Amino acid sequence: MLAEVQALPVGPMWHDSMQKRQEDAYYATQLEEMAIRLTGRTLLALTAEIPAVKIISQKRVGLGGILFELLKAQHEDNPDNPLGSSGPAGPIAEFVSGLAMDEFIQIKHISKNPDNPSDMSFIGVRPQMPEEISRMRKVMYAHGYGKEFNTWLNRYCQMRPGIFGPTSLLEHSGLQKGTLDFYLARAFMDSWYYENASHEVDKFICMLVAVAGAKRLRMGLAA
């Protein structure tokens, strides 16, 4: 088993490898029913604190810089801001958002056929809105980080976006979205993932996202 893991591709060769496509197909098949349950209106409508939840479609930048339609669960009390994020509204929403359950609807974007991959992977760079990429470019160029932005964008476009990824952890980092520090952290983490991605790294990211989400949930319930 160890020899099999060691033989898997690493870094740039991993992102569109058959092994990663097979893992994505497995996740898409195994998690589809759970995704429907966790992102359905019924769960989120259990509390009056969330009077309405809707499923929206947004344009995001995917593999090769090509735009695709991303499904997203959105709370009407906290609609997306210009940077593409929405905040939880109440304890049930904290629970859903804290464990990233609202992201699971994106399982729909993962192909069950490894020979015919679709727009997303289970683990990968987080898909960005064109407006957010434009803002990131403006901020980084203004502070003398144009080269770093160009490197990031080139690598971003060579990876299939993921439901979860290294920058999912930025949601829990305390860095303010839209700031230079946030963008530098995103560029560093995505670039590191591009160079070092593997089966084991993807498993580790899954674990970190789960731990960070559980920690956020505990903090929210204790507040």
Side-chain angles (χ1 to χ4, degrees):
M1 180 65 181
L2 181 59
E4 293 178 0
V5 172
Q6 291 176 338
L8 293 176
V10 175
M13 300 299 295
W14 170 249
H15 302 294
D16 198 36
S17 66
M18 178 55 68
Q19 292 89 341
K20 185 171 178 64
R21 293 182 188 183
Q22 289 171 340
E23 290 188 4
D24 286 337
Y26 172 81
Y27 286 126
T29 301
Q30 297 298 316
L31 298 176
E32 183 177 51
E33 181 178 352
M34 182 176 70
I36 293 172
R37 293 181 179 182
L38 294 179
T39 60
R41 293 171 181 265
T42 303
L43 174 64
L44 296 177
L46 290 176
T47 172
E49 296 185 48
I50 310 177
V53 172
K54 59 184 179 180
I55 305 301
I56 65 171
S57 177
Q58 294 180 331
K59 290 188 180 299
R60 300 289 176 115
V61 179
L63 181 67
I66 298 173
L67 294 179
F68 71 97
E69 296 290 334
L70 175 84
L71 293 179
K72 181 175 171 57
Q74 184 183 74
H75 312 136
E76 287 190 354
D77 279 358
N78 289 273
D80 280 357
N81 64 33
L83 297 183
S85 63
S86 56
I92 300 297
E94 285 282 1
F95 178 78
V96 171
S97 181
L99 293 181
M101 292 179 181
D102 53 335
E103 305 287 0
F104 271 102
I105 191 174
Q106 293 163 24
I107 285 289
K108 180 180 176 65
H109 298 295
I110 299 179
S111 174
K112 297 177 184 177
N113 180 3
D115 293 318
N116 185 28
S118 51
D119 294 318
M120 295 184 70
S121 290
F122 191 66
I123 301 294
V125 290
R126 292 294 293 139
Q128 301 301 314
M129 298 172 67
E131 298 84 355
E132 170 68 345
I133 291 179
S134 295
R135 177 178 172 83
M136 182 174 174
R137 180 186 187 280
K138 181 178 179 180
V139 171
M140 291 185 68
Y141 263 79
H143 290 84
Y145 291 97
K147 180 179 179 181
E148 288 79 1
F149 170 82
N150 291 335
T151 298
W152 169 81
L153 183 60
N154 177 267
R155 290 174 172 176
Y156 171 92
C157 289
Q158 293 185 58
M159 295 181 280
R160 188 170 281 107
I163 296 177
F164 303 109
T167 54
S168 299
L169 302 173
L170 290 179
E171 300 286 335
H172 315 284
S173 68
L175 293 175
Q176 183 177 354
K177 193 169 186 178
T179 64
L180 176 63
D181 286 344
F182 183 91
Y183 291 140
L184 289 176
R186 172 187 290 169
F188 173 80
M189 295 172 77
D190 284 348
S191 291
W192 183 92
Y193 181 69
Y194 173 80
E195 294 289 353
N196 297 279
S198 67
H199 169 75
E200 291 300 318
V201 166
D202 281 4
K203 285 175 57 179
F204 186 62
I205 289 173
C206 283
M207 182 191 73
L208 289 181
V209 170
V211 170
K215 181 179 180 181
R216 177 182 172 187
L217 176 61
R218 288 197 301 269
M219 292 175 63
L221 294 178

